[in-house]
Amino acid sequence: NAGVMQNPRHLVRRRGQEARLRCSPMKGHSHVYWYRQLPEEGLKFMVYLQKENIIDESGMPKERFSAEFPKEGPSILRIQQVVRGDSAAYFCASSPSQDQPQHFGDGTRLSIL
Amino acid sequence: AQSVAQPEDQVNVAEGNPLTVKCTYSVSGNPYLFWYVQYPNRGLQFLLKYITGDNLVKGSYGFEAEFNKSQTSFHLKKPSALVSDSALYFCAVRRTGANNLFFGTGTRLTVIP
């Protein structure tokens, strides 16, 4: 049973470009969470989605960031017009239900030039 | 509001000695408590959780944690440390009804051969 798959593992973008981060949850998991980790810090919650629905986006910046989890395909975290401060590791987690532990992918490390 | 405190940024312990990584929390209602471990350039791996029941929770790789309601603590322990236990450890809390995990800032454990 494959774990949570994130790609790409590393992404380099120039300021003003768009970044798309993908997450395929574990088989049988319909709950997806995105977190951001700055160097030497803990993870900060961004958004929680179930299939085709955003349940909680209280941790998402108000502008430039969006997330989706379509009926078919992976969940996508999209960052438009990236800035240097967006440089971080972005982790996706999934769970079969809200009460079960979240299982994490290996993250996408985003670097902004 | 919810918060998690990991008071030690760094813990050093000799191989074979017992280890403790401290965590205290603040959350309204009954907490769901978790410990995760992170190896370099990897995602978080679930170690153990406390939802309800026995205060002593046993998890993966010989780790255990003790829930202490009066002290609002959930310290991670292992009777005999291994060099391979060296990693970054995160405590997390989720309050009942919430969607996301709230993480501490992490404790770097180094086991000295």
Side-chain angles (χ1 to χ4, degrees):
Chain A
N1 189 11
V4 177
M5 303 301 291
Q6 289 188 249
N7 69 82
R9 290 293 309 276
H10 300 274
L11 182 61
V12 179
R13 285 288 178 266
R14 296 189 181 280
R15 281 177 293 171
Q17 291 184 320
E18 178 180 286
R20 280 183 178 245
L21 288 63
R22 294 175 184 77
C23 169
S24 296
M26 287 181 69
K27 188 176 181 180
H29 289 194
S30 60
H31 299 244
V32 167
Y33 310 79
W34 285 93
Y35 293 83
R36 177 164 61 178
Q37 184 181 34
L38 295 173
E40 302 302 317
E41 291 189 12
L43 277 69
K44 298 286 194 293
F45 168 74
M46 298 181 75
V47 62
Y48 162 46
L49 311 100
Q50 293 183 39
K51 279 291 186 182
E52 299 185 271
N53 292 307
I54 295 174
I55 307 300
D56 181 352
E57 55 182 349
S58 57
M60 288 278 269
K62 294 290 186 287
E63 298 176 345
R64 302 187 298 107
F65 285 71
S66 62
E68 63 178 13
F69 189 16
K71 186 176 180 181
E72 301 291 337
S75 175
I76 306 287
L77 179 67
R78 182 182 179 205
I79 311 172
Q80 295 178 289
Q81 299 174 344
V82 296
V83 301
R84 286 253 171 88
D86 296 333
S87 296
Y90 291 83
F91 289 95
C92 171
S94 72
S95 65
S97 68
Q98 191 180 4
D99 289 340
Q100 293 298 312
Q102 297 174 23
H103 295 265
F104 284 78
D106 285 340
T108 294
R109 279 148 186 83
L110 176 64
S111 298
I112 309 302
L113 301 179
Chain B
Q2 53 194 344
S3 65
V4 176
Q6 293 184 243
E8 301 157 315
D9 292 335
Q10 174 83 40
V11 170
N12 296 326
V13 64
E15 185 178 21
N17 282 3
L19 70 86
T20 299
V21 183
K22 296 179 181 176
C23 172
T24 58
Y25 66 91
S26 174
V27 67
S28 57
N30 294 321
Y32 294 0
L33 295 158
F34 303 83
W35 275 102
Y36 284 84
V37 60
Q38 186 179 33
Y39 295 97
N41 297 315
R42 300 295 300 277
L44 276 66
Q45 294 180 31
F46 170 73
L47 281 179
L48 50 81
K49 66 178 180 181
Y50 172 83
I51 305 295
T52 186
D54 287 342
N55 290 341
L56 185 63
V57 179
K58 294 190 182 297
S60 306
Y61 313 119
F63 284 93
E64 58 188 29
E66 186 167 10
F67 171 62
N68 188 317
K69 188 173 183 178
S70 63
Q71 297 185 4
T72 61
S73 67
F74 191 56
H75 301 330
L76 181 70
K77 300 176 187 246
K78 187 173 182 180
S80 177
L82 301 173
V83 173
S84 58
D85 292 330
S86 299
L88 193 54
Y89 289 80
F90 289 98
C91 181
V93 65
R94 182 170 73 82
R95 63 176 173 79
T96 308
N99 298 313
N100 60 291
L101 295 173
F102 193 89
F103 284 88
T105 52
T107 298
R108 187 168 299 281
L109 173 69
T110 300
V111 181
I112 303 164

